[in-house]
Amino acid sequence: MPVFQDSGAEQMQMQTQAIVIIHPGSRNLRMGRASDANPITILHAVARKRRQNGLVHRDPFLPPLVPRTKELTQTMEESRLQVSHTLQSCLQSDGRRRYATPPQQIAAFNRRSNPEIQSTTGGGWVKKEQEVVIGDDILTLDPESGYNLHFPYKRGDLNLHSGPGGSLKAVLADLKTIWEYALIEKMNIPLRDLKHYRAVLIIPDIYNRWYLRELMSLILCEIGFGACFLLQDHVAATFGAGLGYACVVDVGEEKTSVSCVEDGMSHRNTRVRIDYGGGDITQSFLWLLQKSAFPYKTCDPSNQLDALLLDQLKRDFCHVDLNICGAQEKSFMVKKPQLPIEVYTMQVGDECLIAPLSLFQPELLKITGAHSVHIQKRSTGDSEDPHDENYLRETSRKYTKENLEQSSEMPEESAIPVAAGEEEVVVDNVDSAPIALNSRDLEAPKDFVVGPQQVLGLDQAILQSIDRCPTEDLKRKMYSCILVVGSGMKFQGIGMWLHNRISLQIPYMFRTEQMDVITSPKDIDPGVTVWKGAAILSCLESAHELWISRQEWELIGVRILRERALFMW
C-alpha cells in the first residue's frame, strides 16, 4: 500500500494519526491513535442479553474468593503477623522506630462507627433495551436485568472456559464487538475507513502462538485494518520509558509478569507470569479490613459496585510510607441505586501497608486460590508452518552432526571447529547462551523455583528472571535497572521497598553502585507506559519493515510472522 511507504515529515504526521495502538487487559482496554497524548480507557467487557431460559454467566470484577478453610486462615494469619513484625522493626526517615496501633483497638473504634445516612439516593439503574452493552455502560446495568457479562481476557490471556461464551470463537467475537465499539464511538473512526489505518496489537510477553494467529486474522480480516504488527508488552514498556535495557516488572489487574529486555528483544528464558495482580491485593485488603471490624458489614466483593468501591479504597488508602504510623481516620461513601447514600468513618492501621506488601508475601493472596506460574514454552508444531523452530532445530542438528563427522575424517590440522551449541544459535540466538551440544538442548526451559506450599513472590520472580540471563554482563545490567509498569502496583513508597528487597538479595558479584527502580518513567502513569511505548515504536522509520498487510496475511499466513515479528516466532 503506497500510503505506508512515504517518509516525509508531513506524511509521517499523517501516518501517526492513521496508526491505532490496541492494548487489551484483563480489566481495561486502552486504545488510541499513535499521535494521541493518552489512550482512551474503557472497561474491557461486554454484556449480552441472556436468551430465554439461557444459562447464566457473569465474569467477576474481582478474582473470586475461595472457601476459607482453617489451614488457609492460619497460613494467611501467620503471613500477616510476619509482615506486621517486619514493619515494626523498620525505622522512620528521622531514625525513630515505627509503631503500630493494635488491630483490636482499631476494631473497637470501627464497631462503634455507624453510617451517616444522607437524604439523597445513589440514583437508579439505567434500563437498556439493546441486546449488547459495551464498556463502562455496563456499570449502570442492574445485575438482575438478564445480561450475561464477559471479560475476554483473564489473568493476562484469553478467557477460555467451559461456560456460555467461553469458546475461542465466542471470545474473539466479544473482542471484535468491544474494539469496534471503541473505534466508532470513542475514536470516531468509521469501520469502512479502517483499510486506510494500521494497528499495533500489544500482546503478552508470554504468548500463545495459536491465539496470536487468531488475533491477527481478527484485526486484518474481520475488523478490516489495512496492516498490523504484534508487539510484546515488556518490549513496548522499555520504549515508553526511553530505556535500552531493563528488567521489566508488569503488575496488572489479574497477573504479574517479569522479563529481561535488551535492545528491543525480550529474552525468552527470563519470562515468567504469575496469576495474581491488583485485584488479588484488593481481596486481601478487604480481609485485613474485616479483621479490624470493617464498618460496611454488607460489603460483597462479588457485587460489581462493591468491587469498584473496594478497588477505590485500595487506591486511596494503601501505601508503603513507613513514616505513617498508628491509626488513621478515613471516610468513604457507599452509593447504590435506589438506596440512600451512606457515609462511613473508620480507622485504618498497618493493613494499608500489609496489603501492598502481599506481593512479597504472596501467601496473603491465597485468599483467591492457588496462583500458577507460567513460562514461555517451546512450540509444539504448527501444521500451517512446516518450517517452524522445531524444523530449524532438527535440520541444524543434522548438519551440525554431519560437519562433526566430516571433521573427524579430516587431518587434524585441517579440521574446522564447530561452535558449541550451534543449533541453538540458529533457532533462538537472541534468547539462549551458547551451550555445549548435549541432551539439555532438547529440554524445555527450566521452571521457576517455588518453595513447598508457597507462591512465587515478586522479588523472587525478579531475582530468578535475571538469573536466567545468558551472560554475567547482562545480569549486571538488569540488576542496575528495574522498570515497574502496570496499574496494579501504584502505591506510594513501594519502589523503595522493592529496591531494598532486591538489593539485599543480589549476588555479591553483581552488585553495582547504582540500582534504579523506576516506578514512574518520565513522570507518566505507569498504567499507560506500555501503550505509550507502542505508539513511539510504531512511528520509527525502522517500523516500516514490521507491518503485515491484509493481502500478505491472506497469502502467506502465519509463516510471515517469522520474518516480520520483533520476537522469536
Side-chain angles (χ1 to χ4, degrees), residues 428-449:
D428 217 353
N429 59 328
V430 176
D431 294 338
S432 304
I435 55 176
L437 180 63
N438 56 40
S439 61
R440 286 173 51 195
D441 299 349
L442 305 178
E443 296 178 1
K446 291 184 178 180
D447 289 334
F448 278 60
V449 179

Side-chain angles (χ1 to χ4, degrees), residues 2 8 150 166 229 265 322 352 357 360 373 410 418 426 439 464 470 480 544:
H150 304 279
F229 73 77
M265 294 295 290
L322 298 178
C352 296
L357 296 181
F360 307 96
V373 176
M410 294 179 185
V418 177
V426 171
S439 61
Q464 292 191 41
S480 71
H544 286 295

Side-chain angles (χ1 to χ4, degrees), residues 3 6 42 53 63 115 123 220 292 334 346 355 394 496:
V3 70
D6 294 328
I42 63 171
N53 300 323
L220 293 175
S292 299
V334 177
M346 63 177 293
E394 291 303 321
M496 182 57 69

Side-chain angles (χ1 to χ4, degrees), residues 11 23 182 191 206 225 245-246 264 276 374 442 470 522 547 559:
Q11 184 65 31
H23 186 193
L191 296 183
I206 295 179
F225 277 98
Y245 59 86
Y276 58 67
H374 309 269
L442 305 178
K522 296 184 176 180
W547 296 109
R559 290 170 293 165

Side-chain angles (χ1 to χ4, degrees), residues 151-154 156-160 168 171-172 175 211 214-215:
F151 282 86
Y153 273 73
K154 180 181 180 182
D157 217 335
L158 295 187
N159 182 16
L160 304 188
L168 178 59
V171 170
L172 291 172
L175 289 174
Y211 295 168
E214 297 297 326
L215 290 170

Side-chain angles (χ1 to χ4, degrees), residues 24-28 44 151-157 253-255:
S26 301
R27 168 68 74 87
N28 294 317
H44 200 199
F151 282 86
Y153 273 73
K154 180 181 180 182
R155 298 297 186 191
D157 217 335
E253 178 67 15
E254 293 191 351
K255 59 87 181 173

Side-chain angles (χ1 to χ4, degrees), residues 89-150:
S89 67
C90 292
L91 301 177
Q92 301 177 59
S93 58
D94 59 5
R96 293 184 298 171
R97 187 176 292 275
R98 288 191 80 253
Y99 63 90
T101 304
Q104 298 86 347
Q105 184 176 328
I106 294 176
F109 176 92
N110 290 339
R111 287 192 188 96
R112 296 192 300 269
S113 176
N114 293 314
E116 176 188 337
I117 310 297
Q118 296 190 354
S119 57
T120 55
T121 65
W125 296 111
V126 176
K127 292 186 178 181
K128 302 280 187 181
E129 299 300 329
Q130 60 260 46
E131 290 290 314
V132 178
V133 181
I134 305 165
D136 296 343
D137 290 344
I138 292 171
L139 302 177
T140 63
L141 275 180
D142 185 348
E144 305 300 323
S145 60
Y147 284 87
N148 281 351
L149 179 60
H150 304 279

